[in-house]
Amino acid sequence: MPKNYPVNQSISLPVEGMTCASCVARVEKALNKIPGISGVSVNLATGKAHFTMTGAVRIDSVAQAIEAAGYRLMLDTPAEKPGRARGGEERDERGERLRRDLRTAALFTIFVFIISMGMEFDFFARVWPFATDTTHKILLIVTTPVLFIPGKQFFSIFWKNLRHGTADMNSLVAIGTGAAYAYSVLATLFPAVIAHGQEGPHVYFDSAAVIITLVLLGRWLEHRAKKRTGAAVRALMQLQPETARVRRQAGEVEVPIEQLAVDDLLLVRPGERIAADGLVSSGASSVDESMLTGESMPVEKKDGDAVTGGTINLAGYFEMRVTATGSASLLAKIVRMVEEAQGSKAPMQRLADRIAAVFVPIVVAIALVTLAAWLWIGGMAAFDQALIHFVAVLIVACPCALGLATPAAIMVGTGAGASRGILIKNGESLELVHKIDTIMLDKTGTLTSGKPSVTEVYCEGIDEQKCIGYLSALETRSEHPLAAAVIAYGNTLGVRSAEVKAFASITGGGVKGKIDGHEVLAGNEACLEAHGVDTASWLDRAQTWQQAGKSVIFTAVDGQVVGAVAVSDTLKPTSRSAVAALRKMGLRVLMLSGDHEGTAAAIARQVGVDGFFAGIRPEGKAAVIKNEQAKGHRVAMVGDGINDAPALAQADIGIAMGSGTDVAIESAAITLVHGDLQQVVHAIELSRQTIVTIRQNLFWAFLYNTLGIPLAALGYLNPMLAAGAMSFSSVSVLGNSLRMKRRLSGARLPAPGKKE
């Protein structure tokens, strides 16, 4: 029974029988005619149709519409298991069938080719024991299995297309090889009927057999290359283990991953792959997250830290509480996002799609004109020559390369991005990234860590340990945002937890209390002066820190200032080098900050941006971007918080840090799993490389047909050379796309967390 899909759900299903860009155009046309379906996109590289049901449409009705177009929607694919990413170990039935057909065709074709070519040489004719008419009959017997066993698929699809009034690449191959074979059969069985002059009729069994074999060879190589373009997704799919060790009432048990549930307690041993998303509840270890985030260095995990399913526990033992399984896990979301991106279309593909929609009928028309022209020039005496040129035109024309040019590059590009922790929503986003000229960077959480920390300490008349001890004791009872930074610093010094009496929080930025019999006051300059504490001798140092964008906390004991600490939201390790790299790429880099002018200016100087906007409220970020767009700039916005979501949506390209909120990630076109600014550089480089590859693919695909068809029509390409060239065109497009993967690997930038 076909599965029922809810309304407004994005659906992606395989379509059987698509072999070229013309097929894609027909399937899309069939789907677009169905009321209640939108967002149709058919991808030749993945062999899938993507669409959204916006109305009450039965999936079997969709299948019938596709079948009416001559193809089959695969509804009986294996159901996805809730705990496992699907598709990792599926048998490659198409690859096996292509290999089997190729072996059969090659076995007979070698024999046909040797006899046919040998007859052109005197020495072979002298040792060959059979007369010409007998040789033709032998060739007929040996060629027939090639056309009607491995070559049967071309004629079957051609007949199906003919019944539906359509045509594709299979039609061209079937017409071409069928014409050569039929003419040769007539010449063999009824030579007197078509003989001209004193010379007996020629036969073209070798052309028919070699064409079928070369086309099958091209499809087998193409299939292998396609498998390699999807390797990144398959690698992600196979990250999850099959079983997990869980603590239950009966003790420790090993269960299939499909049986895991939220709040289960997982036991993770050294060297094991983590089975689900969760939080460490006890123990500690280092985890290899490189396959999901691109981070090459192990990440330390302790109580309360989040761990992700599919990553590898390296050294220690820990227990974790499951927070997400199955399709709700990060791994499943990544796989789904990458698959959707690979199934989408970039705007550059539209021209190729328009051409592909009318390509085959035009090629058949050109071939018929070629046949008629050669007959007009040479009369019926030149029929066999005209036939060969007719076949060559049909065979050399290949819309496959046009159909694969963009999706192959998109597949490789998005797959390479996923392996680096760069998740791209769709092909359009990947194409748009290379057009941006301005990047807006949110300060907190993007350029900076988002967690204030103590960066400077100065004490006078008291040792640092004691001063920080007093300050930390007061801040432990405070709810001020900077208090956590002071407490964390105190913990690193190992200060003792002193008892605070008569604690009070002071409106305007301070706290006070009695510690060890001393009156201790901590706060900003205004707070201390309001309590009669003289801070004049400390102001120069405080102003220097403040000019650097740091907040200053004074500590006074019994009315005398004894210490000051500077607290700031520190830059991430790679922010400075990432900004430099972005500027080197010719981009204008601007910073958005809610801080006052002085603090924002200090951070801007440190990181090296071209300019900044200070005092911007959350709702004002989108307005700033809109203003830049009004000036003609193409803007990318990088952010991580809920308040960044409107700005991410307003920007031409929204880039969300994966360490941020789900709302921000949902609003973005690109998500950086690791949350490191260096990945923005990776993403832009990835986009530029992908666009260059798409342009190269489209150029060669168009050039191939622009040159190949006229050469074949004028008689400069025989059908066998045409078949070889046709097969090579598709394989070359895929090969060029895979070459991009190697280029990107060779130009790998420093891993997140490392400076250049």
Side-chain angles (χ1 to χ4, degrees):
M1 287 291 292
K3 178 181 178 180
N4 292 322
Y5 293 91
V7 175
N8 293 327
Q9 177 180 325
S10 294
I11 299 168
S12 177
L13 289 170
V15 177
E16 190 179 68
M18 294 194 303
T19 56
C20 66
S22 299
C23 304
V24 170
R26 273 193 300 281
V27 174
E28 286 188 344
K29 185 178 180 181
L31 288 172
N32 280 318
K33 285 182 178 178
I34 303 173
I37 283 184
S38 65
V40 174
S41 175
V42 179
N43 190 301
L44 180 61
T46 61
K48 291 183 178 181
H50 305 262
F51 54 91
T52 302
M53 288 187 174
T54 56
V57 183
R58 289 179 56 84
I59 192 66
D60 50 353
S61 301
V62 177
Q64 289 169 9
I66 290 179
E67 188 172 348
Y71 306 92
R72 181 186 170 206
L73 188 66
M74 304 294 287
L75 298 175
D76 53 349
T77 50
E80 180 181 353
K81 295 181 180 180
R84 186 190 311 283
R86 54 189 160 74
E89 300 176 0
E90 288 179 6
R91 185 180 172 191
D92 184 13
E93 293 182 2
R94 174 168 167 76
E96 291 176 4
R97 186 172 66 251
L98 282 170
R99 188 164 53 249
R100 184 173 60 250
D101 288 345
L102 178 59
R103 279 200 303 261
T104 303
L107 180 66
F108 287 100
T109 299
I110 290 170
F111 191 53
V112 173
F113 188 76
I114 290 174
I115 295 174
S116 299
M117 292 297 102
M119 293 299 290
E120 301 294 324
F121 299 96
D122 291 338
F123 76 89
F124 184 86
R126 285 195 295 270
V127 299
W128 182 249
F130 302 107
T132 300
D133 59 340
T134 304
T135 301
H136 288 175
K137 289 181 174 67
I138 292 171
L139 290 174
L140 169 60
I141 293 170
V142 180
T143 303
T144 300
V146 177
L147 264 72
F148 298 108
I149 299 176
K152 177 185 176 182
Q153 56 186 287
F154 300 107
F155 296 96
S156 298
I157 297 172
F158 167 60
W159 178 246
K160 187 187 294 183
N161 288 340
L162 197 61
R163 284 189 292 125
H164 291 99
T166 61
D168 60 13
M169 189 60 214
N170 296 284
S171 305
L172 299 182
V173 174
I175 294 170
T177 57
Y181 177 78
Y183 176 84
S184 300
V185 169
L186 286 173
T188 300
L189 300 180
F190 309 101
V193 175
I194 58 175
H196 49 271
Q198 296 181 353
E199 185 182 357
H202 291 284
V203 295
Y204 299 100
F205 290 116
D206 55 340
S207 294
V210 169
I211 287 169
I212 292 289
T213 303
L214 286 175
V215 173
L216 288 173
L217 174 63
R219 289 195 176 175
W220 180 63
L221 293 173
E222 179 184 316
H223 176 75
R224 290 185 63 190
K226 282 182 183 178
K227 294 273 289 181
R228 289 174 61 195
T229 60
V233 175
R234 285 193 300 278
L236 286 171
M237 287 177 171
Q238 295 176 37
L239 287 181
Q240 226 164 17
E242 294 184 0
T243 61
R245 186 165 291 276
V246 183
R247 192 186 301 283
R248 297 270 168 86
Q249 290 182 346
E252 294 183 13
V253 293
E254 192 164 316
V255 300
I257 196 170
E258 293 84 3
Q259 295 180 14
L260 285 181
V262 173
D263 287 334
D264 271 346
L265 190 64
L266 264 60
L267 317 179
V268 186
R269 296 169 177 170
E272 288 185 342
R273 198 176 287 278
I274 299 170
D277 296 357
L279 298 173
V280 176
S281 57
S282 66
S285 183
S286 56
V287 175
D288 178 2
E289 298 182 337
S290 59
M291 63 285 296
L292 289 180
T293 66
E295 168 61 84
S296 59
M297 297 297 293
V299 181
E300 298 300 320
K301 301 291 184 181
K302 60 184 185 303
D303 285 6
D305 287 345
V307 290
T308 305
T311 56
I312 299 173
N313 179 31
L314 295 178
Y317 168 87
F318 64 88
E319 297 182 4
M320 57 173 282
R321 186 74 61 182
V322 175
T323 57
T325 63
S327 60
S329 68
L330 176 61
L331 176 59
K333 289 177 181 176
I334 290 174
V335 170
R336 189 160 56 247
M337 193 170 184
V338 175
E339 282 189 323
E340 288 175 0
Q342 292 187 340
S344 64
K345 286 193 176 185
M348 292 179 73
Q349 182 68 14
R350 290 170 189 155
L351 175 61
D353 287 347
R354 287 197 295 270
I355 293 173
V358 296
F359 187 85
V360 173
I362 289 174
V363 169
V364 173
I366 293 172
L368 290 171
V369 169
T370 300
L371 178 67
W374 281 95
L375 287 175
W376 182 72
I377 293 169
M380 287 304 296
F383 180 79
D384 56 347
Q385 194 71 16
L387 177 68
I388 287 303
H389 301 326
F390 167 78
V391 172
V393 170
L394 291 173
I395 299 303
V396 79
C398 181
C400 306
L402 285 175
L404 290 169
T406 299
I410 294 290
M411 281 186 73
V412 172
T414 52
S419 67
R420 296 184 179 195
I422 301 167
L423 305 181
I424 300 161
K425 187 169 283 187
N426 50 46
E428 185 174 6
S429 300
L430 188 61
E431 182 176 330
L432 279 174
V433 173
H434 89 286
K435 296 180 179 179
I436 62 171
D437 57 57
T438 300
I439 290 191
M440 294 279 190
L441 304 175
D442 179 53
K443 181 184 78 71
T444 305
T446 300
L447 286 168
T448 66
S449 63
K451 296 179 180 178
S453 59
V454 173
T455 59
E456 309 279 354
V457 178
Y458 181 77
C459 300
E460 202 172 82
I462 189 175
D463 63 70
E464 181 180 344
Q465 187 91 0
K466 195 168 187 178
C467 179
I468 296 299
Y470 285 152
L471 180 58
S472 182
L474 288 175
E475 296 292 9
T476 301
R477 290 154 178 79
S478 171
E479 295 180 356
H480 193 277
L482 301 183
V486 173
I487 295 166
Y489 184 73
N491 290 336
T492 62
L493 293 180
V495 299
R496 69 181 181 85
S497 180
E499 182 183 359
V500 180
K501 297 179 180 179
F503 173 82
S505 178
I506 303 166
T507 302
V511 287
K512 66 179 180 178
K514 202 165 203 176
I515 304 174
D516 296 336
H518 298 287
E519 295 288 343
V520 182
L521 173 66
N524 56 28
E525 175 190 346
C527 174
L528 265 67
E529 290 184 348
H531 284 73
V533 179
D534 184 12
T535 60
S537 60
W538 293 76
L539 291 185
D540 287 345
R541 185 179 304 277
Q543 287 173 357
T544 301
W545 289 348
Q546 287 168 344
Q547 287 171 359
K550 301 176 182 181
S551 299
V552 181
I553 303 174
F554 296 99
T555 303
V557 178
D558 296 330
Q560 294 291 323
V561 179
V562 296
V565 299
V567 180
S568 70
D569 185 4
T570 56
L571 288 177
K572 291 182 178 179
T574 57
S575 292
R576 191 177 291 107
S577 60
V579 168
L582 291 170
R583 295 184 67 194
K584 192 175 181 180
M585 296 170 87
L587 300 170
R588 190 171 62 120
V589 185
L590 304 175
M591 183 185 80
L592 291 172
S593 174
D595 293 332
H596 59 74
E597 187 84 13
T599 301
I603 295 293
R605 282 195 302 271
Q606 290 178 49
V607 80
V609 294
D610 294 298
F612 65 93
F613 296 87
I616 303 296
R617 295 179 61 82
E619 62 272 17
K621 293 179 181 179
V624 171
I625 292 173
K626 193 172 183 178
N627 186 52
E628 290 294 316
Q629 290 170 326
K631 296 176 183 177
H633 294 293
R634 291 183 179 269
V635 182
M637 168 68 189
V638 186
D640 75 328
I642 292 176
N643 56 20
D644 295 324
L648 291 169
Q650 174 64 44
D652 296 284
I653 288 292
I655 303 176
M657 310 297 266
S659 54
T661 64
D662 289 341
V663 176
I665 292 170
E666 188 64 30
S667 304
I670 296 175
T671 299
L672 310 179
V673 175
H674 188 265
D676 189 283
L677 196 59
Q678 193 70 262
Q679 286 186 302
V680 177
V681 181
H682 289 203
I684 295 171
E685 178 61 25
L686 179 70
S687 172
R688 291 182 175 182
Q689 289 279 6
T690 303
I691 296 307
V692 167
T693 302
I694 290 173
R695 286 173 175 165
Q696 290 171 346
N697 288 349
L698 288 172
F699 171 78
W700 287 112
F702 281 119
L703 182 68
Y704 165 82
N705 284 295
T706 302
L707 295 179
I709 293 175
L711 288 174
L714 294 172
Y716 293 108
L717 276 180
N718 69 49
M720 288 183 284
L721 283 176
M726 183 267 286
S727 298
F728 175 75
S729 67
S730 298
V731 176
S732 64
V733 162
L734 289 165
N736 189 48
S737 300
L738 289 168
R739 192 168 63 93
M740 174 182 69
K741 184 178 180 181
R742 291 193 293 273
R743 286 199 303 269
L744 288 168
S745 298
R748 183 177 289 275
L749 293 170
K754 293 183 180 181
K755 293 182 179 180
E756 291 184 309

PDB file of all heavy atoms in Angstrom, residues 8 106 159 199 203 254 275 315 377 401 481 595 659 696 712:
ATOM      1  N   ASN A   8       1.531  19.634   3.022  1.00  0.00           N
ATOM      2  CA  ASN A   8       2.636  20.580   3.215  1.00  0.00           C
ATOM      3  C   ASN A   8       3.942  19.907   3.640  1.00  0.00           C
ATOM      4  O   ASN A   8       4.873  20.585   4.064  1.00  0.00           O
ATOM      5  CB  ASN A   8       2.271  21.679   4.228  1.00  0.00           C
ATOM      6  CG  ASN A   8       1.174  22.587   3.700  1.00  0.00           C
ATOM      7  OD1 ASN A   8       1.094  22.831   2.496  1.00  0.00           O
ATOM      8  ND2 ASN A   8       0.325  23.069   4.590  1.00  0.00           N
ATOM      9  N   ALA A 106      29.871  -6.430 -24.511  1.00  0.00           N
ATOM     10  CA  ALA A 106      31.284  -6.385 -24.897  1.00  0.00           C
ATOM     11  C   ALA A 106      31.745  -7.722 -25.471  1.00  0.00           C
ATOM     12  O   ALA A 106      32.531  -7.765 -26.436  1.00  0.00           O
ATOM     13  CB  ALA A 106      32.138  -6.005 -23.696  1.00  0.00           C
ATOM     14  N   TRP A 159       9.841   2.420 -27.210  1.00  0.00           N
ATOM     15  CA  TRP A 159       8.463   2.040 -27.515  1.00  0.00           C
ATOM     16  C   TRP A 159       7.489   2.663 -26.516  1.00  0.00           C
ATOM     17  O   TRP A 159       6.420   3.149 -26.882  1.00  0.00           O
ATOM     18  CB  TRP A 159       8.343   0.523 -27.529  1.00  0.00           C
ATOM     19  CG  TRP A 159       6.945   0.029 -27.776  1.00  0.00           C
ATOM     20  CD1 TRP A 159       6.142  -0.658 -26.922  1.00  0.00           C
ATOM     21  CD2 TRP A 159       6.183   0.199 -28.977  1.00  0.00           C
ATOM     22  NE1 TRP A 159       4.924  -0.927 -27.490  1.00  0.00           N
ATOM     23  CE2 TRP A 159       4.913  -0.410 -28.761  1.00  0.00           C
ATOM     24  CE3 TRP A 159       6.430   0.816 -30.202  1.00  0.00           C
ATOM     25  CZ2 TRP A 159       3.924  -0.428 -29.728  1.00  0.00           C
ATOM     26  CZ3 TRP A 159       5.427   0.797 -31.172  1.00  0.00           C
ATOM     27  CH2 TRP A 159       4.200   0.185 -30.928  1.00  0.00           C
ATOM     28  N   GLU A 199      28.924  -2.889 -56.939  1.00  0.00           N
ATOM     29  CA  GLU A 199      29.399  -3.210 -55.589  1.00  0.00           C
ATOM     30  C   GLU A 199      28.231  -3.669 -54.719  1.00  0.00           C
ATOM     31  O   GLU A 199      27.138  -3.107 -54.774  1.00  0.00           O
ATOM     32  CB  GLU A 199      30.041  -1.967 -54.970  1.00  0.00           C
ATOM     33  CG  GLU A 199      30.666  -2.227 -53.607  1.00  0.00           C
ATOM     34  CD  GLU A 199      31.251  -0.953 -53.021  1.00  0.00           C
ATOM     35  OE1 GLU A 199      31.220   0.082 -53.707  1.00  0.00           O
ATOM     36  OE2 GLU A 199      31.721  -1.003 -51.868  1.00  0.00           O
ATOM     37  N   VAL A 203      27.254  -3.370 -44.846  1.00  0.00           N
ATOM     38  CA  VAL A 203      26.485  -3.622 -43.621  1.00  0.00           C
ATOM     39  C   VAL A 203      27.132  -2.852 -42.468  1.00  0.00           C
ATOM     40  O   VAL A 203      28.337  -2.573 -42.491  1.00  0.00           O
ATOM     41  CB  VAL A 203      26.407  -5.129 -43.284  1.00  0.00           C
ATOM     42  CG1 VAL A 203      25.627  -5.879 -44.349  1.00  0.00           C
ATOM     43  CG2 VAL A 203      27.793  -5.734 -43.098  1.00  0.00           C
ATOM     44  N   GLU A 254      22.015  -4.596  25.936  1.00  0.00           N
ATOM     45  CA  GLU A 254      22.328  -4.059  24.610  1.00  0.00           C
ATOM     46  C   GLU A 254      21.067  -4.132  23.767  1.00  0.00           C
ATOM     47  O   GLU A 254      20.472  -5.206  23.611  1.00  0.00           O
ATOM     48  CB  GLU A 254      23.455  -4.861  23.973  1.00  0.00           C
ATOM     49  CG  GLU A 254      24.017  -4.189  22.730  1.00  0.00           C
ATOM     50  CD  GLU A 254      25.360  -4.769  22.318  1.00  0.00           C
ATOM     51  OE1 GLU A 254      26.220  -4.978  23.205  1.00  0.00           O
ATOM     52  OE2 GLU A 254      25.535  -5.009  21.123  1.00  0.00           O
ATOM     53  N   ALA A 275      25.538   6.573  20.216  1.00  0.00           N
ATOM     54  CA  ALA A 275      24.347   6.100  19.504  1.00  0.00           C
ATOM     55  C   ALA A 275      23.257   7.145  19.330  1.00  0.00           C
ATOM     56  O   ALA A 275      22.399   6.988  18.469  1.00  0.00           O
ATOM     57  CB  ALA A 275      23.769   4.884  20.226  1.00  0.00           C
ATOM     58  N   ALA A 315      38.651   8.321  24.675  1.00  0.00           N
ATOM     59  CA  ALA A 315      39.491   7.816  25.759  1.00  0.00           C
ATOM     60  C   ALA A 315      38.728   7.321  26.979  1.00  0.00           C
ATOM     61  O   ALA A 315      38.950   6.209  27.456  1.00  0.00           O
ATOM     62  CB  ALA A 315      40.483   8.907  26.178  1.00  0.00           C
ATOM     63  N   ILE A 377      21.958  15.067 -52.417  1.00  0.00           N
ATOM     64  CA  ILE A 377      23.269  15.278 -53.044  1.00  0.00           C
ATOM     65  C   ILE A 377      23.695  14.050 -53.853  1.00  0.00           C
ATOM     66  O   ILE A 377      24.177  14.152 -54.983  1.00  0.00           O
ATOM     67  CB  ILE A 377      24.335  15.603 -51.978  1.00  0.00           C
ATOM     68  CG1 ILE A 377      24.042  16.961 -51.340  1.00  0.00           C
ATOM     69  CG2 ILE A 377      25.741  15.599 -52.582  1.00  0.00           C
ATOM     70  CD1 ILE A 377      24.882  17.249 -50.118  1.00  0.00           C
ATOM     71  N   ALA A 401      24.708  15.295 -20.544  1.00  0.00           N
ATOM     72  CA  ALA A 401      25.695  16.202 -19.962  1.00  0.00           C
ATOM     73  C   ALA A 401      25.038  17.492 -19.486  1.00  0.00           C
ATOM     74  O   ALA A 401      25.381  18.033 -18.427  1.00  0.00           O
ATOM     75  CB  ALA A 401      26.795  16.508 -20.982  1.00  0.00           C
ATOM     76  N   PRO A 481      25.082  39.820  35.107  1.00  0.00           N
ATOM     77  CA  PRO A 481      25.671  39.001  34.042  1.00  0.00           C
ATOM     78  C   PRO A 481      27.180  38.800  34.169  1.00  0.00           C
ATOM     79  O   PRO A 481      27.711  37.786  33.731  1.00  0.00           O
ATOM     80  CB  PRO A 481      25.335  39.793  32.768  1.00  0.00           C
ATOM     81  CG  PRO A 481      24.121  40.575  33.117  1.00  0.00           C
ATOM     82  CD  PRO A 481      24.264  40.925  34.564  1.00  0.00           C
ATOM     83  N   ASP A 595      26.184  46.965  21.866  1.00  0.00           N
ATOM     84  CA  ASP A 595      26.996  47.688  22.845  1.00  0.00           C
ATOM     85  C   ASP A 595      27.072  49.171  22.497  1.00  0.00           C
ATOM     86  O   ASP A 595      26.812  49.577  21.359  1.00  0.00           O
ATOM     87  CB  ASP A 595      28.411  47.112  22.893  1.00  0.00           C
ATOM     88  CG  ASP A 595      28.425  45.700  23.452  1.00  0.00           C
ATOM     89  OD1 ASP A 595      27.539  45.378  24.247  1.00  0.00           O
ATOM     90  OD2 ASP A 595      29.320  44.918  23.066  1.00  0.00           O
ATOM     91  N   SER A 659      25.988  26.632  16.899  1.00  0.00           N
ATOM     92  CA  SER A 659      25.927  26.698  18.358  1.00  0.00           C
ATOM     93  C   SER A 659      24.783  27.589  18.836  1.00  0.00           C
ATOM     94  O   SER A 659      24.534  27.709  20.025  1.00  0.00           O
ATOM     95  CB  SER A 659      27.253  27.251  18.901  1.00  0.00           C
ATOM     96  OG  SER A 659      27.561  28.490  18.289  1.00  0.00           O
ATOM     97  N   GLN A 696      31.945  25.544 -15.931  1.00  0.00           N
ATOM     98  CA  GLN A 696      32.778  24.683 -16.773  1.00  0.00           C
ATOM     99  C   GLN A 696      31.946  23.546 -17.359  1.00  0.00           C
ATOM    100  O   GLN A 696      32.037  23.244 -18.554  1.00  0.00           O
ATOM    101  CB  GLN A 696      33.939  24.112 -15.961  1.00  0.00           C
ATOM    102  CG  GLN A 696      34.993  25.127 -15.568  1.00  0.00           C
ATOM    103  CD  GLN A 696      36.007  24.557 -14.587  1.00  0.00           C
ATOM    104  OE1 GLN A 696      35.794  23.502 -14.008  1.00  0.00           O
ATOM    105  NE2 GLN A 696      37.113  25.264 -14.412  1.00  0.00           N
ATOM    106  N   ALA A 712      28.910  15.641 -37.174  1.00  0.00           N
ATOM    107  CA  ALA A 712      28.255  14.384 -37.554  1.00  0.00           C
ATOM    108  C   ALA A 712      27.408  14.578 -38.810  1.00  0.00           C
ATOM    109  O   ALA A 712      27.406  13.723 -39.710  1.00  0.00           O
ATOM    110  CB  ALA A 712      27.397  13.882 -36.406  1.00  0.00           C
TER     111      ALA A 712
END
